[in-house]
Amino acid sequence: MRAEGGRSRNGAPSSIDLLLTDARILDVFSGEIWRGDVAVAEGRIVGFGAPRAENVRDLDGRWMIPGLIDAHVHIESSQLVPREFVCAVLPHGTTTAIADPHEIANVLGLDGVRYMLNATSGLPFRAFFTAPSCVPASPFETPGAVLGRNEVEEMLRWDRVIGLGEVMNYPGVVRGDPGVLAKLIAATGLPIDGHAPGLAGPDLWAYVSRGPRTDHECTTLEEAREKLRAGMHILIREGTATRNLDTLLPLLTERTAPFVHFCTDDRHPETLIREGHIDGLVRRAIAGGARPDVAVAAATIHTARAYGLADLGAIAPGYRADFVILSDLQTVRVDEVFVNGVRVAADGACLVDVPHGSDEDVRRTVRVDPGRLSFRIRSEGDRAAEARVIRVAPEQVVTDEVRLVPRTADGEVVADLGRDVIKIAVVERHRGTGNVAVGLVQGFGLLHGALASTVAHDSHNAVVVGVTDSDMRVAIAELVRIGGGQVVVADGEVVAVLPLPIAGIMSDRPLDDVASAARELKLAAGRLGCTLPAPFMTLSFISLPVIPHLKLTDRGLVDVDRFRPVSLFV
Amino acid sequence: MRAEGGRSRNGAPSSIDLLLTDARILDVFSGEIWRGDVAVAEGRIVGFGAPRAENVRDLDGRWMIPGLIDAHVHIESSQLVPREFVCAVLPHGTTTAIADPHEIANVLGLDGVRYMLNATSGLPFRAFFTAPSCVPASPFETPGAVLGRNEVEEMLRWDRVIGLGEVMNYPGVVRGDPGVLAKLIAATGLPIDGHAPGLAGPDLWAYVSRGPRTDHECTTLEEAREKLRAGMHILIREGTATRNLDTLLPLLTERTAPFVHFCTDDRHPETLIREGHIDGLVRRAIAGGARPDVAVAAATIHTARAYGLADLGAIAPGYRADFVILSDLQTVRVDEVFVNGVRVAADGACLVDVPHGSDEDVRRTVRVDPGRLSFRIRSEGDRAAEARVIRVAPEQVVTDEVRLVPRTADGEVVADLGRDVIKIAVVERHRGTGNVAVGLVQGFGLLHGALASTVAHDSHNAVVVGVTDSDMRVAIAELVRIGGGQVVVADGEVVAVLPLPIAGIMSDRPLDDVASAARELKLAAGRLGCTLPAPFMTLSFISLPVIPHLKLTDRGLVDVDRFRPVSLFV
């Protein structure tokens, strides 16, 4: 919002648009809750009272807190386009988000980031972005785009791009890789988000010294304390798969609140429905013993200040009139939500008809010729040759490597249901290179059919697992037909599908539709024998070669621990 | 420091320059004090340990806190040029100041501000500046320069100019004067310092809405609480004449510390010697009950963050190696001070030989022809005509208006020692206009001689009080001869003098010399009968027509309450 201001900020408000009376106002500066009135004009709070107003609303002693801020989110992980994401989170009191669009950037590069900016423009929501710093995440895969220093510099010049996105390549930072350092230098003086799971001691000091000043990857309190001491703001994350609030909550005190914030990072539709958004984190923080004013301040003024958003995060003159009316502070019961002084949500429902922008440029991103696909694996001449098999575990993004002699038939490797080993393939889908890498995976429990998805971090190629090559081919063909998404195939037929036509990773439907389609996918997978509680989540991390231990990209297997490609057969 | 960074920040340190071992480190993020080591390379802290280092210093359990920050200071009020000011405050642990150069700006405009920038460049001290917003302070005087919107915009483009200086014209802001608003708009998105003594309610809301986000003029706790609630950062001030720490200290808590800071505003040489600098405020805050880590955080990290200084205010990797070694935390006993990892002060002494920059452009600023001066006041024809007399009181900057029929001789008004009424004159000294305004003042107690000064807020014309016109003329002639300063004259002879040749407001001598000359002036004034404890302080505020009630500028008397010029005779 820094580029605005101007006349509406410095000119005299001609009249008061809205006067809210008898509110219990949470003053984030002092922590006090006081009973009073709030006047709004031209989208901003202009004072604590007014002799007259166009509209007067009596809040009857209900609580009023600033609009909540998600300090770090990948909107794409909601599988919702920005307008539907906004409609999903506004009723939970989130009025601002700092989003890293690195998922769509891996598919569409700068065009993808531009789409996210355009798609959030004109919404009753403040979406700020960080320039993705690590596209692609590794050199072992074929993404839709590569963002170098020049692209980062270009994005940093765009309005609403406020800093550098999570610098996941922490080994590169610590080693001093010129390409990574160039991006950090480009962002000197701006907020730089970190991502450094487990980093400690001298490596942590080197990482922080070079610029990143936040971390949302702490999984132990000890790790968070060390990073806070090193000057990092700690973003307490509650995603769908990664949940750190219970562990990290003791870090949040009245003393540390300026440096501790809340984020959702990756939150899937079903979690948005079941647990809400930042309101859920604040609620659980309070239930866990945080003082309400401290938890709210962490999620509002202190996040705004940490990211240089001068006019957000407080109920005070000159601030944007973004606020939340609660019927109960202790349990964060959201009644109504206002942005720019306009009521945008009430009783859990989004009240705004958010405009549909053009999204033609971000459709039809799955460029694969299904007719030319082959998932054959020739068996090695040596019948005792061991293969490297990816072993997945329920609700884990980390995989293991197991070695076993695969089952063969007619000189080709085939599924081995007795040992729960099936084929997996990653199909390059951005550039039509024809790259297909085929491997073996253990742990899905699939007895027949195939599962496929174009949501596959971070390059978002098409990933498919299946018992037969033919079902795998049908699954990929369906993804091509619908322009990306997630699909379950059995006996040559599509039995469940979630179309994600926007860049192959986002739906154009509302939250409830997406969540119910996702449920259908899970049930269909279960009917095929799949034993994983979240098979498509597991699938989506199986090709991310920056998470241990054995991963498959469109170019083949990667031993993440040694950070190098390896062959299927040992 | 935002414009720096670059290679030294993001490049790899080739070696560790300094390793401080066994320190009690104050972690401003958590409030914890922990015992450990700190490594410095290339002027920055790079970690909490190192296997080897060029220099190792064992701190033997002494405390280590970040360099202190003065959130708002007029360096000119110390009567020291920047290099001497820096030498005076470094031994007290102040390593950074946010300075408003509006005194010199009133004399020399942009050239004066440029001088302050040049004179602080290359010093082992971080001087940031705000662009003076109110030069001149009123339309009733002749300053050396007028700074409009264009000049403010130009200054805001300069390196180390980080925001807009205290917006003293709060009535103009509240009324919406286009000239004031234009400057606020020019500073949109940058820190804007406020100055709004006593402002409350709707006027306060209007003021804050238009941009100012700090205030250092609170004189009651209630006023500070209202301003904090309105979103203003409260700068607790302990100047020489204006002291608010005892009153405002209860505002500073662990909860409010991000929004409460310390400043000295106007601190004269004798106060610097007697009470030190920001260390003195922190010491008294702790003695008054503030937790040490909270008081230090308010004076370091939180001030840095409030003013957008990303690399200052903490002992953590990536931060500038500016820190203070204390032999006792509770009493803030400063042992040693480091800037950029270099020891710059120890045991109360400044260790650096600070370079003399060129100051030729800021000398010889007193442009008055003493031969043409006249302080005559013709008596009105009506022998009973009352005159408006300025009444001063000890240690007050506020004056009163008294009305009395002046004593006359030969048709001219003369001093009336029986009623303690003497003449006062303000002589325009910047442009050679020849403006001289003569009036009457009561309360100095002077029995003979004259006192004169070119330190006269904010326009810094020459102000003189005296029993005889001839001593007044000698006093002004001496000021012309020495290029500005403060002088005591008796019987045609200069009996004490403090030359302030830099813009007529700053000495080029060290602190001790200036303080002892100031003491001499005070003693000399006392010997002439002066009963005021700080006659030159009183003199310096007598021509500032934004402080009640009756003031004299080079253009005549001003009734400040009605904000309009008035004549001497009623």
Side-chain angles (χ1 to χ4, degrees):
Chain A
M1 304 286 102
R2 296 173 303 173
E4 302 181 27
R7 237 155 46 104
S8 78
R9 173 168 173 187
N10 298 112
S14 43
S15 68
I16 299 301
D17 302 322
L18 175 64
L19 181 66
L20 301 123
T21 59
D22 194 21
R24 282 196 173 88
I25 302 163
L26 197 160
D27 172 355
V28 289
F29 303 109
S30 68
E32 291 168 1
I33 295 163
W34 63 288
R35 210 149 169 163
D37 304 341
V38 172
V40 173
E42 296 173 9
R44 289 185 189 262
I45 293 162
V46 295
F48 297 124
R52 70 195 83 69
E54 307 255 317
N55 283 292
V56 177
R57 290 176 64 90
D58 184 354
L59 294 186
D60 202 18
R62 285 184 293 162
W63 284 264
M64 187 172 179
I65 66 172
L68 303 172
I69 305 178
D70 190 339
H72 175 71
V73 59
H74 306 286
I75 292 174
E76 303 97 308
S77 293
S78 71
Q79 301 190 325
L80 303 173
V81 288
R83 70 169 182 277
E84 299 298 343
F85 172 82
V86 165
C87 258
V89 303
L90 275 178
H92 295 286
T94 305
T95 57
T96 295
I98 295 148
D100 184 335
H102 78 200
E103 309 297 349
I104 197 168
N106 268 280
V107 179
L108 288 160
L110 294 186
D111 287 344
V113 179
R114 265 190 217 101
Y115 163 76
M116 296 301 280
L117 281 162
N118 291 338
T120 49
S121 156
L123 296 185
F125 187 83
R126 302 188 200 282
F128 297 95
F129 292 89
T130 52
S133 68
C134 299
V135 175
S138 83
F140 305 121
E141 53 198 314
T142 307
V146 175
L147 299 184
R149 180 197 174 131
N150 291 343
E151 288 77 14
V152 165
E153 285 181 343
E154 178 170 354
M155 288 183 281
L156 289 175
R157 284 192 291 267
W158 297 347
D159 197 26
R160 287 196 285 132
V161 176
I162 61 170
L164 190 66
E166 52 176 322
V167 184
M168 299 184 288
N169 186 2
Y170 56 89
V173 177
V174 173
R175 275 195 315 265
D177 284 359
V180 185
L181 295 190
K183 292 173 185 175
L184 288 166
I185 290 169
T188 298
L190 299 174
I192 299 177
D193 277 328
H195 161 121
L199 209 64
D203 285 352
L204 175 65
W205 309 335
Y207 182 72
V208 174
S209 288
R210 283 162 174 158
R213 282 269 178 95
T214 75
D215 189 81
H216 55 267
E217 294 288 339
C218 297
T219 52
T220 70
L221 191 56
E222 185 194 3
E223 178 182 359
R225 288 200 197 283
E226 181 177 356
K227 285 176 172 170
L228 179 65
R229 174 172 289 177
M232 298 187 105
H233 288 237
I234 305 301
L235 314 188
I236 296 179
R237 170 181 60 183
E238 281 283 295
T240 290
T242 45
R243 295 171 169 274
N244 313 118
L245 190 133
D246 290 339
T247 304
L248 301 183
L249 187 57
L251 191 74
L252 175 64
T253 67
E254 135 178 65
R255 182 66 182 72
T256 62
F259 313 107
V260 178
H261 319 295
F262 295 115
C263 76
T264 60
D265 201 3
D266 297 289
R267 192 164 265 218
H268 294 178
E270 71 274 18
T271 317
L272 288 170
I273 288 174
R274 207 178 316 120
E275 302 174 41
H277 201 241
I278 298 297
D279 59 328
L281 279 82
V282 174
R283 182 180 307 122
R284 285 181 46 205
I286 294 171
R291 228 169 57 192
D293 73 280
V294 170
V296 170
T300 58
I301 186 70
H302 296 311
T303 308
R305 294 294 172 91
Y307 286 92
L309 308 173
D311 299 348
L312 299 180
I315 295 170
Y319 280 73
R320 297 280 175 177
D322 301 353
F323 45 80
V324 184
I325 310 302
L326 306 175
S327 58
D328 186 59
L329 176 62
Q330 202 69 28
T331 57
V332 196
R333 279 252 306 275
V334 176
D335 263 9
E336 302 178 83
V337 182
F338 290 74
V339 170
N340 276 329
V342 175
R343 205 164 73 124
V344 293
D347 302 323
C350 183
L351 300 179
V352 287
D353 192 14
V354 290
H356 275 243
S358 164
D359 54 19
E360 278 310 303
D361 296 345
V362 291
R363 291 174 178 265
R364 287 175 294 279
T365 60
V366 183
R367 297 185 189 90
V368 174
D369 180 353
R372 297 178 54 187
L373 284 175
S374 164
F375 303 116
R376 291 168 64 183
I377 306 173
R378 292 204 156 271
S379 67
E380 294 283 286
D382 178 0
R383 302 192 117 249
E386 283 193 320
R388 292 179 175 90
V389 177
I390 300 168
R391 180 152 63 195
V392 299
E395 295 189 314
Q396 296 293 323
V397 296
V398 170
T399 59
D400 282 320
E401 173 182 328
V402 294
R403 295 182 179 191
L404 48 78
V405 179
R407 179 169 166 253
T408 56
D410 300 329
E412 288 188 15
V413 174
V414 295
D416 181 352
L417 301 186
R419 290 188 290 178
D420 191 13
V421 173
I422 57 175
K423 280 187 181 170
I424 176 169
V426 177
V427 180
E428 193 282 315
R429 62 107 167 169
H430 303 293
R431 309 178 183 193
T433 57
N435 285 0
V436 180
V438 190
L440 296 167
V441 64
Q442 185 179 53
F444 269 83
L446 216 59
L447 299 173
H448 59 283
L451 319 177
S453 174
T454 50
V455 178
H457 300 288
D458 278 343
S459 286
H460 299 297
N461 283 306
V463 60
V464 56
V465 293
V467 176
T468 66
D469 289 11
S470 61
D471 276 353
M472 290 168 76
R473 192 175 298 108
V474 170
I476 294 290
E478 176 67 3
L479 292 183
V480 173
R481 191 186 71 78
I482 62 178
Q486 297 179 323
V487 64
V488 178
V489 167
D491 305 322
E493 299 291 330
V494 174
V495 295
V497 63
L498 167 57
L500 300 170
I502 309 301
I505 55 177
M506 288 179 278
S507 169
D508 53 2
R509 308 290 307 154
L511 174 64
D512 286 340
D513 294 6
V514 176
S516 85
R519 265 193 307 276
E520 281 307 314
L521 284 174
K522 203 184 292 185
L523 292 172
R527 285 191 295 268
L528 301 183
C530 182
T531 50
L532 293 174
F536 283 91
M537 200 272 278
T538 301
L539 204 56
S540 73
F541 281 100
I542 221 163
S543 62
L544 181 55
V546 292
I547 292 187
H549 295 280
L550 183 66
K551 300 285 179 173
L552 183 72
T553 80
D554 66 302
R555 301 204 213 147
L557 287 168
V558 178
D559 177 334
V560 180
D561 301 333
R562 283 180 286 176
F563 211 57
R564 65 177 201 199
V566 289
S567 60
L568 177 61
F569 286 99
V570 182
Chain B
M1 302 287 100
R2 296 175 303 174
E4 302 181 28
R7 239 155 44 105
S8 78
R9 174 169 175 186
N10 297 114
S14 42
S15 68
I16 300 301
D17 302 323
L18 176 64
L19 181 65
L20 301 123
T21 59
D22 195 21
R24 281 196 173 89
I25 303 163
L26 197 159
D27 172 356
V28 290
F29 303 108
S30 68
E32 291 167 1
I33 295 163
W34 63 289
R35 208 146 170 166
D37 305 341
V38 172
V40 173
E42 296 174 9
R44 288 185 189 263
I45 294 162
V46 295
F48 297 123
R52 72 195 81 68
E54 308 254 318
N55 284 291
V56 178
R57 289 177 65 89
D58 184 352
L59 295 186
D60 203 18
R62 285 184 292 161
W63 284 263
M64 187 173 178
I65 66 171
L68 302 172
I69 305 177
D70 189 340
H72 175 71
V73 59
H74 305 287
I75 292 174
E76 303 96 309
S77 292
S78 70
Q79 301 189 326
L80 303 173
V81 287
R83 68 168 184 279
E84 299 298 343
F85 172 82
V86 165
C87 259
V89 304
L90 275 178
H92 294 285
T94 304
T95 57
T96 295
I98 295 148
D100 184 334
H102 78 200
E103 308 298 350
I104 198 169
N106 268 281
V107 179
L108 288 161
L110 293 187
D111 288 343
V113 180
R114 266 191 217 100
Y115 163 75
M116 297 300 281
L117 281 162
N118 292 338
T120 49
S121 157
L123 296 185
F125 186 83
R126 302 187 199 283
F128 297 94
F129 291 90
T130 51
S133 68
C134 299
V135 175
S138 83
F140 305 121
E141 51 197 316
T142 308
V146 175
L147 300 184
R149 181 200 174 128
N150 290 343
E151 287 78 14
V152 166
E153 286 181 344
E154 179 171 352
M155 289 183 280
L156 289 176
R157 284 191 293 267
W158 297 347
D159 197 26
R160 289 195 284 132
V161 175
I162 60 170
L164 190 66
E166 52 176 323
V167 185
M168 298 184 289
N169 185 1
Y170 56 88
V173 177
V174 173
R175 277 194 314 264
D177 283 359
V180 185
L181 295 189
K183 293 174 186 175
L184 288 165
I185 291 168
T188 298
L190 299 175
I192 300 177
D193 277 328
H195 161 121
L199 209 63
D203 284 352
L204 175 65
W205 310 335
Y207 183 70
V208 174
S209 288
R210 283 161 176 158
R213 282 267 178 95
T214 75
D215 190 79
H216 54 266
E217 294 288 340
C218 296
T219 52
T220 70
L221 191 56
E222 184 193 4
E223 179 182 359
R225 289 201 197 282
E226 181 177 356
K227 285 176 173 170
L228 180 65
R229 175 172 287 176
M232 298 187 106
H233 289 237
I234 304 304
L235 313 189
I236 295 179
R237 171 180 59 182
E238 281 283 295
T240 290
T242 44
R243 295 172 169 274
N244 312 119
L245 189 133
D246 291 339
T247 305
L248 302 183
L249 187 58
L251 191 73
L252 175 64
T253 67
E254 130 178 72
R255 181 67 182 73
T256 62
F259 314 108
V260 177
H261 319 296
F262 295 117
C263 75
T264 60
D265 201 1
D266 297 290
R267 190 166 265 220
H268 294 179
E270 71 276 16
T271 317
L272 288 171
I273 289 175
R274 206 178 316 121
E275 302 175 42
H277 202 241
I278 297 298
D279 60 329
L281 279 82
V282 175
R283 182 179 306 122
R284 286 181 48 204
I286 294 171
R291 229 170 56 193
D293 72 282
V294 170
V296 170
T300 58
I301 186 70
H302 296 311
T303 307
R305 294 294 173 91
Y307 286 93
L309 309 173
D311 299 349
L312 300 180
I315 295 169
Y319 279 73
R320 297 280 175 178
D322 301 354
F323 44 79
V324 184
I325 310 301
L326 306 176
S327 57
D328 186 59
L329 176 62
Q330 201 69 26
T331 57
V332 196
R333 279 251 306 274
V334 176
D335 263 10
E336 301 177 84
V337 183
F338 290 74
V339 170
N340 276 330
V342 175
R343 206 163 73 124
V344 294
D347 302 321
C350 183
L351 300 180
V352 288
D353 191 17
V354 291
H356 274 244
S358 163
D359 54 19
E360 278 309 303
D361 294 348
V362 292
R363 291 175 178 265
R364 286 176 293 279
T365 59
V366 183
R367 298 186 188 88
V368 174
D369 180 351
R372 297 178 53 187
L373 284 176
S374 164
F375 302 117
R376 293 169 63 182
I377 306 173
R378 293 204 155 271
S379 66
E380 294 282 286
D382 179 358
R383 303 193 114 248
E386 283 193 320
R388 294 179 173 90
V389 176
I390 299 168
R391 179 152 62 196
V392 299
E395 295 189 312
Q396 296 293 323
V397 297
V398 169
T399 59
D400 281 321
E401 173 181 327
V402 294
R403 295 184 179 188
L404 50 78
V405 179
R407 179 169 166 252
T408 57
D410 298 332
E412 288 187 17
V413 174
V414 294
D416 181 353
L417 301 185
R419 290 187 291 176
D420 191 14
V421 173
I422 56 176
K423 279 188 183 171
I424 177 169
V426 177
V427 180
E428 193 281 317
R429 62 108 166 168
H430 303 293
R431 310 178 182 191
T433 55
N435 285 359
V436 180
V438 190
L440 296 167
V441 64
Q442 186 178 51
F444 270 83
L446 217 58
L447 298 174
H448 59 283
L451 318 178
S453 175
T454 49
V455 178
H457 300 288
D458 278 341
S459 286
H460 300 297
N461 282 307
V463 61
V464 57
V465 293
V467 176
T468 66
D469 289 12
S470 61
D471 277 352
M472 290 169 74
R473 193 175 299 110
V474 170
I476 294 289
E478 177 66 3
L479 292 183
V480 173
R481 192 185 70 78
I482 62 178
Q486 297 180 322
V487 64
V488 179
V489 167
D491 304 323
E493 298 291 329
V494 174
V495 295
V497 63
L498 167 58
L500 300 171
I502 310 300
I505 54 177
M506 287 178 278
S507 170
D508 52 3
R509 308 291 308 155
L511 173 64
D512 286 338
D513 295 5
V514 177
S516 84
R519 264 192 309 273
E520 280 308 313
L521 284 174
K522 205 184 290 185
L523 291 173
R527 284 192 295 268
L528 300 183
C530 182
T531 50
L532 292 173
F536 284 90
M537 200 273 279
T538 301
L539 204 56
S540 74
F541 281 100
I542 221 163
S543 63
L544 181 56
V546 293
I547 292 187
H549 296 278
L550 184 65
K551 300 284 178 174
L552 183 72
T553 80
D554 66 300
R555 301 204 214 147
L557 286 168
V558 178
D559 177 333
V560 180
D561 301 333
R562 283 180 286 177
F563 212 57
R564 64 177 201 198
V566 289
S567 59
L568 177 60
F569 286 99
V570 182

